[in-house]
Amino acid sequence: MAATRIQIERQPARHVPSGIGIVHLGLGAFHRAHQAVYVQRCLNRLGAERGDDWGICSANIRSNRALVDQLRDSDYRYHVAEFADSRQVTLREIGAIREALYAGPDGPDRETLLARMSDPGVRILTLTVTEKGYFLSPSSGELLTDAAPIAHDIAHPESPDTAPGMLVAALARRRTAGIEPFAVLCCDNMPHNGQRTRRAVISLARHRDAALAEWIDAHVAFPSSMVDRIVPAMTDADRTRLAELGVDDPAAVVCETFSQWVVEDDFPLGRPDWEADGVEMVADVAPFETMKLRLLNGAHSLLAYLGALAGIETVDAAVARPAFRQLLQHYWQQEAIPTLSLPAGTDVSAYTQSLLARFGNDSLRHRLQQIAMDGSQKLPQRWLAGGVERLQHGGDLTTTTLGVAGWIRYTAGSDLAGRPHPVDDPMAETLAELHRRHGNDPQALVAAFLALDAVFPAALREDTRFSDRVAEALSIIESDDIEAAIAALPYKNPDREV
Ligand code: NAI
Ligand code: CS2
């Protein structure tokens, strides 16, 4: 194989003092490969003096304490390896994170984090805590007050365990001290993610102090953002190939070269001029969010469940197969795109072709199992919201109902050859119980899954045109060769019948 061509971007020696203007909750792979890279570009451009206010304090509040220690040991420097393909990689050394904290329930840094979040110099709070980290019902958006961590935060508001709890506690301190609130910028894959974060925070604040909730409602900005960069979870094989490139860095991340960040411009205490660093600052993110969630993430989830059931391990391996490419093309052209109000000037055909190319990047080794996790939290915005629109207007639901059937079958915990896989989902126990009760009766199993009102909107749950089609699809999936079954689907746009 041809030698890998690498470019390396190093950071200048650290200047002092290292100011912090941003606190991030969710020090995960995506944050390190996306927001922190944009902030690094900004710091490089502004230089030591002007950029000093915008360094990041990044915290984990639930897991991955080791990563915090690793960053501390490396003077907060880590590497981002951007693979254009298996032979071209750009290595970037990132130093935008200037403080790392572990504020989990068993961690030492909760007070330090709350104090940092209450610091007047912190003007922006960003989050990547996964869709489940907001404790909102995926379908209704209501705060899950029965969830144990939320119940804990209601009972112990000054020692919160959740992201909404941390935000409420810090905002309460700022209000008491007469410090204006930071802007809260969600970077998770949710529709209207700023508004959803707002709803979680205000709903939780109401349990503490109605006046605080009103203050947050009146004074705190919750801009939404659309975020896009494929950042697979690191594997030992990734660490090995980075070591072969001379990078021995436990905090390193691997990702694609593509990156996009579209942000609603609502930062009362100011922000860096991120436009100069490739961030698109807009008045309304919704068209960008919906397009990305339905076209990229919706396609990802189709590949995740149907590909995994076929015994396929990675995204690129799935799109290498004609049947799966045909599946995606039908999903895009006949099901997802008709539901979109596209951002002005969008060439949606070019966009979906670019998605196929990105999915085909075999250097990422993006595991379908990673995408398949948390399906109960993802499917409402990726498939179901669009499905409701198409059902109401007589649109095609061929691949959406197949995808739902695939998710149902996937959550049985094995692929079609009987190979077991984990079902990583906040509702995993509930889903397993449904399989125990109805696993031998496909119609009853589908009805039981569609009855999950936390996941499925009533418009789908109560419409036999949808439920019957899912049941049909489940029987197709159980056929010997799922790939042949996918290829044989009636890829046409039927009339009213779905
Ligand atoms: P990761 O597993 O590396 O990090 C997840 C982070 O979320 C960790 O810091 C973890 O401690 C935290 N977390 C998990 N559950 C939590 C909870 N209940 N409360 C508080 N914190 C919690 O995953 P990664 O790749 O960083 O992705 C995180 C999120 O970023 C995704 O869920 C998605 O919303 C968004 N994203 C990810 C992309 C990717 O390709 N990895 C691309 C675009 C968006
Ligand atoms: C993926 C996303 O894991 C998943 O659910 O669909 O993390 C995807 O990689 C990103 O949204 C791409 O921007």
Side-chain angles (χ1 to χ4, degrees):
M1 181 175 73
T4 299
R5 183 167 63 82
I6 64 173
Q7 298 170 298
I8 297 182
E9 176 188 279
R10 296 284 179 212
Q11 290 313 318
R14 184 179 299 290
H15 58 275
V16 178
S18 296
I20 289 173
I22 299 169
V23 169
H24 182 82
L25 302 184
L27 173 54
F30 182 61
H31 168 63
R32 302 201 305 280
H34 185 269
Q35 302 96 52
V37 170
Y38 283 102
V39 172
Q40 185 65 65
R41 287 181 194 168
C42 180
L43 299 180
N44 291 348
R45 178 172 52 81
L46 293 179
E49 290 310 314
R50 291 174 54 224
D52 196 45
D53 292 346
W54 293 111
I56 303 171
C57 164
S58 199
N60 272 327
I61 64 173
R62 177 188 168 99
S63 59
N64 216 341
R65 179 172 189 168
L67 180 60
V68 171
D69 295 336
Q70 289 158 356
L71 280 175
R72 288 174 177 168
D73 293 343
S74 67
D75 189 24
Y76 303 104
R77 292 166 186 259
Y78 67 92
H79 294 81
V80 175
E82 301 172 358
F83 280 84
D85 56 39
S86 52
R87 289 183 301 284
Q88 295 181 78
V89 58
T90 298
L91 285 175
R92 297 189 196 285
E93 184 184 62
I94 303 298
I97 296 175
R98 294 170 171 171
E99 183 179 32
L101 302 173
Y102 180 70
D106 56 340
D109 297 331
R110 182 189 281 137
E111 181 49 39
T112 306
L113 174 58
L114 287 172
R116 175 64 73 192
M117 291 170 74
S118 308
D119 182 323
V122 170
R123 292 182 274 173
I124 297 174
L125 186 293
T126 55
L127 304 103
T128 52
V129 292
T130 77
E131 297 87 340
K132 59 184 176 292
Y134 301 82
F135 295 93
L136 295 171
S137 163
S139 58
S140 71
E142 295 290 330
L143 182 69
L144 300 172
T145 51
D146 293 339
I150 291 292
H152 169 275
D153 287 5
I154 290 171
H156 309 282
E158 273 309 306
S159 53
D161 288 346
T162 70
M166 288 288 180
L167 288 168
V168 171
L171 289 168
R173 293 188 184 196
R174 291 176 81 112
R175 176 176 177 248
T176 302
I179 299 169
E180 290 182 277
F182 41 68
V184 179
L185 179 59
C186 178
C187 299
D188 275 299
N189 274 333
M190 299 185 299
H192 312 293
N193 53 12
Q195 294 315 306
R196 285 176 71 88
T197 307
R198 176 194 201 92
R199 189 166 184 181
V201 169
I202 291 174
S203 301
L204 184 57
R206 283 200 185 99
H207 286 274
R208 172 174 179 154
D209 173 354
L212 171 63
E214 286 170 18
W215 180 81
I216 293 171
D217 192 23
H219 298 286
V220 181
F222 290 83
S224 289
S225 77
M226 185 282 274
V227 292
D228 189 3
R229 175 165 249 189
I230 295 174
V231 184
M234 286 293 283
T235 63
D236 291 341
D238 290 327
R239 293 183 186 89
T240 300
R241 62 176 167 157
L242 291 187
E244 289 164 359
L245 295 175
V247 175
D248 179 14
D249 173 2
V253 286
V254 163
C255 62
E256 63 175 336
T257 51
F258 179 92
S259 186
Q260 186 178 18
W261 199 8
V262 184
V263 178
E264 269 171 3
D265 199 355
D266 186 6
F267 297 86
L269 298 188
R271 60 171 176 84
D273 53 339
W274 279 328
E275 299 90 333
D277 307 309
V279 179
E280 299 166 66
M281 302 305 297
V282 299
D284 180 10
V285 164
F288 298 90
E289 266 181 350
T290 308
M291 180 175 83
K292 190 258 182 175
L293 286 168
R294 293 184 188 180
L295 296 188
L296 186 155
N297 297 110
H300 253 185
S301 292
L302 280 174
L303 297 175
Y305 300 115
L306 300 173
L309 289 174
I312 300 169
E313 287 197 17
T314 60
V315 172
D316 63 281
V319 295
R321 302 190 182 196
F324 283 93
R325 287 201 305 276
Q326 183 182 37
L327 177 82
L328 295 192
Q329 289 296 354
H330 183 94
Y331 166 72
W332 285 325
Q333 308 308 330
Q334 301 299 333
E335 300 187 31
I337 290 170
T339 69
L340 298 178
S341 299
L342 294 168
T346 299
D347 178 344
V348 73
S349 176
Y351 182 81
T352 53
Q353 291 315 307
S354 77
L355 290 180
L356 268 184
R358 293 170 63 193
F359 290 176
N361 183 342
D362 61 2
S363 65
L364 299 179
R365 304 172 190 166
H366 198 179
R367 292 175 301 115
L368 296 179
Q369 187 175 309
Q370 175 185 353
I371 299 168
M373 69 182 282
D374 293 350
S376 67
Q377 313 295 306
K378 296 178 177 179
L379 300 191
Q381 57 267 24
R382 298 183 179 200
W383 297 341
L384 305 184
V388 170
E389 294 169 30
R390 286 196 305 287
L391 198 61
Q392 289 167 347
H393 301 103
D396 190 329
L397 282 161
T398 303
T399 61
T400 299
T401 49
L402 182 71
V404 170
W407 177 62
I408 293 172
R409 176 59 182 78
Y410 179 88
T411 58
S414 66
D415 69 10
L416 293 172
R419 291 178 289 253
H421 56 242
V423 178
D424 193 348
D425 192 296
M427 296 181 68
E429 288 182 18
T430 300
L431 306 178
E433 178 59 23
L434 297 184
H435 280 285
R436 278 192 293 272
R437 284 191 193 166
H438 309 292
N440 298 323
D441 180 347
Q443 290 280 359
L445 183 66
V446 168
F449 264 77
L450 297 189
L452 294 169
D453 57 7
V455 180
F456 292 93
L460 296 181
R461 179 170 66 247
E462 295 165 0
D463 194 317
T464 56
R465 293 177 298 163
F466 186 81
S467 54
D468 289 351
R469 198 67 188 275
V470 172
E472 283 171 29
L474 190 57
S475 61
I476 289 174
I477 283 170
E478 293 291 1
S479 66
D480 290 343
D481 182 344
I482 187 172
E483 204 165 329
I486 289 173
L489 282 173
Y491 288 124
K492 62 184 189 308
N493 192 352
D495 55 19
R496 288 279 312 157
E497 284 305 307
V498 286

